[in-house]
Amino acid sequence: MRFRLLAVAGLLASAALVACDSGASQPTPTATVAVPTQTEVVISQPTTTLAGQPTATTEATATSAPNTDTPANIQKSALTLRPVTIETNDATRKGVFADERTLNLPPGFHIKVFAVDLPSVRWLRLSPDGVVYATLLQSGQVVTLPDANKDGVADAVKVFADGLPGVQGIAFKDGAVYVATEGQLIRLADTDKDGVADKRDVIADDLPTGGGHSTRTIAFGPDGKLYVSAGSSCNVCQEANPKRAAISLYSADGKFEKVYASGLRNAVGILFHPVTGELWATVNGRDNLGDDIPPETIYNVKEDTNYGWPYCYGNKIPDKSQNPPSGFCEKTGVPAVEMQAHSAPLGLAFYTADKFPAAFKGDMFVAFHGSWNRSVPTGYKLVRIRMRNNEPDVQAGNLLVEDFATGWQTNNVWGRPVDPMVGPGGSLLLTDDKAGVVYSIYYAADAGP
């Protein structure tokens, strides 16, 4: 399909995203998410659009077809958000939450502070025995957030390990906790079961360092291998190190095996689908091409595939500033979803529990960390991506991607969402590295407006 862009002064319309030529071997078409900008997009055939600027309410008129992952009579209707007070108690009513704050959520959803006093909190993971772990980037710590009485608020913040500068990625395997700093993969173990790691092994020290994009995210795949994401060293350039702007494959004992997928400028969020076992990634696009180009993207990552960076962006669009080799972009992988430029999508989660309404079962949630170089800031929210048969529901039209939680950007930005995760009780936990907090989003239709 082809997109025709028309500049419209003074109007807020959709962002310009471009699709590729069709063919028998063409991957699944990209689902396109448009957002309010100063550009109008005229599309030659139906695609997906979304009003994505931070607002108190997100509404749409269309209703998607039933999702086959849920009962046949469940319709995924448009979400209307309303202000909800963030719940605190005596222990969590501090910092930015010393005064009452609100966020915007769909009816029936509520939010509370699960844990506070967590500066630069980044990644969450649930241990095999049901304990929430979190990484603190700036302090170089891994902490546990136990909730023994299951009241939806952490009982304490306990340091599991420290001395891990720049730690972000975390994963579990065979009783050990694996973490990633900028340059190392480290295996931690609590052999005496006192809640503190007493054994530490650096299993790899060959991760790329220096330059930009210093965080490293890790995940174990169904094959037992460790997948490691490292972003580019620059905004746009030709990398000397093939592990940059790529997802690499390591053995569980830290041996580098291969570059699994390349051309991914900064795949901050990587996660294996709990049903299909496929690898999904959020990718941050390059800067300095304007407010609305290139799109932020989500990929269903395939082995030995190049996704274009630095020569291409979005759906096979050549980056003319880089003089792409002839025919290169035509051979690259395509995103599963395209979204508003400069939103900075980071962590992602698939909702697999049964505490939300059935219409949310299997859907993807993505945290938008927010823009830094856009003339009108965007992001700072949690979005829902509707899924059908474990793939983005392109039939949902302009409901494919929609705001689920907003309000961190008001007169100023007081919070920046990072990583969502389904909690042990079926709530959706969410880190915020600016407010230094983990939230718990839960559903209780009879708990008030």
Side-chain angles (χ1 to χ4, degrees):
M1 70 185 79
R2 295 175 179 266
F3 289 51
R4 180 163 55 91
L5 307 183
L6 300 177
V8 179
L11 294 178
L12 293 179
S14 303
L17 305 177
V18 185
C20 60
D21 296 333
S22 61
S25 61
Q26 176 63 38
T28 303
T30 300
T32 303
V33 180
V35 293
T37 67
Q38 292 183 350
T39 306
E40 179 184 1
V41 180
V42 178
I43 305 171
S44 59
Q45 66 184 69
T47 61
T48 303
T49 59
L50 166 71
Q53 289 285 21
T55 59
T57 303
T58 299
E59 298 184 25
T61 56
T63 301
S64 69
N67 187 306
T68 55
D69 297 326
T70 59
N73 63 340
I74 296 297
Q75 296 286 327
K76 297 202 173 191
S77 303
L79 297 180
T80 300
L81 310 187
R82 87 284 188 249
V84 175
T85 299
I86 300 174
E87 302 166 24
T88 58
N89 60 23
D90 290 341
T92 60
R93 197 173 299 116
K94 59 178 65 175
V96 298
F97 303 101
D99 297 320
E100 182 178 287
R101 291 190 177 270
T102 63
L103 290 172
N104 307 305
L105 292 167
F109 284 91
H110 304 264
I111 186 167
K112 65 174 66 175
V113 174
F114 177 76
V116 75
D117 287 337
L118 297 169
S120 72
V121 62
R122 295 286 286 187
W123 239 242
L124 292 173
R125 284 297 176 264
L126 190 64
S127 72
D129 56 351
V131 176
V132 176
Y133 282 64
T135 59
L136 307 186
L137 186 72
Q138 292 180 2
S139 62
Q141 294 179 315
V142 176
V143 299
T144 58
L145 306 172
D147 179 16
N149 61 3
K150 302 186 187 305
D151 64 350
V153 178
D155 305 324
V157 175
K158 298 183 177 181
V159 176
F160 178 76
D162 56 15
L164 301 164
V167 65
Q168 173 164 288
I170 180 169
F172 299 91
K173 184 174 174 59
D174 299 333
V177 181
Y178 289 71
V179 296
T181 62
E182 181 179 6
Q184 296 181 328
L185 298 174
I186 301 169
R187 182 170 52 211
L188 306 168
D190 176 15
T191 61
D192 57 7
K193 306 302 180 185
D194 66 349
V196 179
D198 51 52
K199 185 177 181 182
R200 179 178 308 198
D201 298 304
V202 176
I203 62 171
D205 59 3
D206 59 350
L207 275 60
T209 59
H213 299 145
S214 62
T215 59
R216 307 288 176 254
T217 312
I218 60 175
F220 277 102
D223 56 2
K225 305 290 187 180
L226 186 59
Y227 293 72
V228 183
S229 173
S232 65
S233 65
C234 58
N235 176 37
V236 58
C237 63
Q238 297 182 33
E239 298 282 8
N241 189 333
K243 295 179 186 177
R244 281 284 194 179
I247 297 173
S248 295
L249 186 62
Y250 283 75
S251 66
D253 60 3
K255 179 182 178 182
F256 171 72
E257 296 189 357
K258 63 181 290 186
V259 171
Y260 182 82
S262 58
L264 298 162
R265 179 179 176 271
N266 192 22
V268 185
I270 62 172
L271 186 68
F272 285 90
H273 194 282
V275 176
T276 67
E278 294 177 319
L279 179 60
W280 289 80
T282 61
V283 176
N284 292 190
R286 64 157 296 182
D287 300 315
N288 303 325
L289 289 180
D291 277 0
D292 303 304
I293 298 175
E296 306 286 39
T297 48
I298 296 174
Y299 291 94
N300 184 341
V301 181
K302 305 301 182 184
E303 186 173 5
D304 298 327
T305 300
N306 187 300
Y307 290 93
W309 186 90
Y311 296 116
C312 330
Y313 57 78
N315 200 337
K316 301 177 182 284
I317 306 306
D319 187 336
K320 295 180 180 179
S321 73
Q322 298 302 301
N323 298 316
S326 178
F328 177 84
C329 295
E330 297 173 7
K331 300 175 183 178
T332 57
V334 299
V337 181
E338 294 181 338
M339 302 172 294
Q340 167 64 53
H342 311 304
S343 296
L346 299 186
L348 68 160
F350 297 96
Y351 189 77
T352 54
D354 58 3
K355 299 300 184 181
F356 285 9
F360 292 88
K361 188 79 169 183
D363 285 349
M364 183 193 299
F365 289 87
V366 178
F368 282 5
H369 197 231
S371 52
W372 70 272
N373 70 336
R374 193 173 189 274
S375 62
V376 179
T378 190
Y380 311 103
K381 59 187 177 182
L382 183 70
V383 301
R384 168 203 190 187
I385 298 179
R386 295 160 180 262
M387 304 288 283
R388 175 189 292 269
N389 294 331
N390 304 312
E391 296 289 342
D393 186 4
V394 296
Q395 300 180 55
N398 62 351
L399 297 181
L400 171 65
V401 180
E402 59 190 333
D403 292 352
F404 181 82
T406 68
W408 286 278
Q409 179 190 359
T410 51
N411 294 329
N412 55 16
V413 173
W414 61 267
R416 303 187 74 183
V418 177
D419 186 39
M421 183 191 76
V422 179
S427 67
L428 192 68
L429 301 182
L430 176 67
T431 58
D432 177 341
D433 63 354
K434 184 173 177 64
V437 66
V438 178
Y439 307 98
S440 175
I441 300 174
Y442 67 96
Y443 184 80
D446 58 350

